[in-house]
Amino acid sequence: MALYMSKSYFNEVFNCQEEYFNGYFSNKKITDLKDDYIASTITQDDLTKVSRQLNVSMGKMFYLVEGFAMIMFIMLIYLLTKMIIENNKVSISMVKILGYTSKEIQKMYVHATTIVIMISTLLSFGITTWILSYAFKIVFEEYAGWLPFYVEGSVYIKMFIMTVISYLFVMMIQMRKIKKIPMDEALKNVE
């Protein structure tokens, strides 16, 4: 039986001091301990076996997940901004009648959406990381060895850049729609 966890978590759970340790790493067989004191021996091959298996079986699949996530994000943002523009069609037309330029209209209707999307994107990074770290512990508890959940900082930067590029793409499409809204739309729908 073996239990794997980080050293700091082990010390916290078992109420050990910070400098306490319970394992040895060695490049040769340890002979100065009795066999009764050795619970398990894990070789370098044992530790890399899981990562090799995951890389072979699921490595390329993550590109599909990334592409699917981007398509879903673009569709979601497109539908959100389309709904905002459709609901404000009369207001946009009225603003055009009053002489506002396209850039001013963009500031009124698109910039608020941009702020909300960027803040919610940053918040989702933290929430998603927390959910994935919890799921990771559940999924990999049956594997031999300890695989800590780790997301490199550059991944967050890459996700944020992909989010901004996707959002700018959708905004270009929506700005064309705003420009096509006729000025007489406000006059047609006067109640």
Side-chain angles (χ1 to χ4, degrees), residues 81 84-85 87-116 167 171 174-175 178 181:
T81 55
I84 290 170
I85 290 170
N87 287 341
N88 292 305
K89 205 177 225 182
V90 174
S91 300
I92 293 170
S93 178
M94 183 63 75
V95 169
K96 283 184 174 185
I97 291 172
L98 295 173
Y100 284 80
T101 64
S102 294
K103 289 196 180 233
E104 292 170 329
I105 295 171
Q106 180 182 356
K107 283 181 184 176
M108 287 192 297
Y109 292 99
V110 176
H111 283 229
T113 307
T114 304
I115 292 168
V116 170
Y167 181 72
M171 281 300 99
Q174 297 300 5
M175 283 311 296
I178 288 174
I181 295 175

Side-chain angles (χ1 to χ4, degrees), residues 46-168:
D46 293 334
L47 291 175
T48 57
K49 195 179 293 184
V50 173
S51 62
R52 283 195 309 262
Q53 176 195 359
L54 289 172
N55 192 30
V56 169
S57 62
M58 295 180 5
K60 303 292 182 192
M61 183 178 75
F62 289 106
Y63 294 115
L64 282 170
V65 171
E66 185 178 284
F68 181 73
M70 288 308 301
I71 291 169
M72 291 299 294
F73 177 77
I74 289 171
M75 287 174 51
L76 182 68
I77 295 304
Y78 176 79
L79 291 173
L80 174 71
T81 55
K82 180 182 177 195
M83 189 172 64
I84 290 170
I85 290 170
E86 291 294 322
N87 287 341
N88 292 305
K89 205 177 225 182
V90 174
S91 300
I92 293 170
S93 178
M94 183 63 75
V95 169
K96 283 184 174 185
I97 291 172
L98 295 173
Y100 284 80
T101 64
S102 294
K103 289 196 180 233
E104 292 170 329
I105 295 171
Q106 180 182 356
K107 283 181 184 176
M108 287 192 297
Y109 292 99
V110 176
H111 283 229
T113 307
T114 304
I115 292 168
V116 170
I117 287 175
M118 293 307 147
I119 290 172
S120 62
T121 298
L122 292 173
L123 287 174
S124 72
F125 289 169
I127 294 168
T128 304
T129 301
W130 181 78
I131 292 170
L132 284 177
S133 68
Y134 182 72
F136 193 85
K137 287 176 185 173
I138 293 170
V139 169
F140 288 107
E141 68 185 6
E142 296 298 320
Y143 284 88
W146 169 252
L147 292 174
F149 179 77
Y150 173 73
V151 179
E152 196 171 312
S154 64
V155 172
Y156 294 114
I157 294 168
K158 179 183 173 186
M159 286 190 300
F160 189 75
I161 290 170
M162 291 170 62
T163 300
V164 169
I165 291 170
S166 301
Y167 181 72
L168 290 175

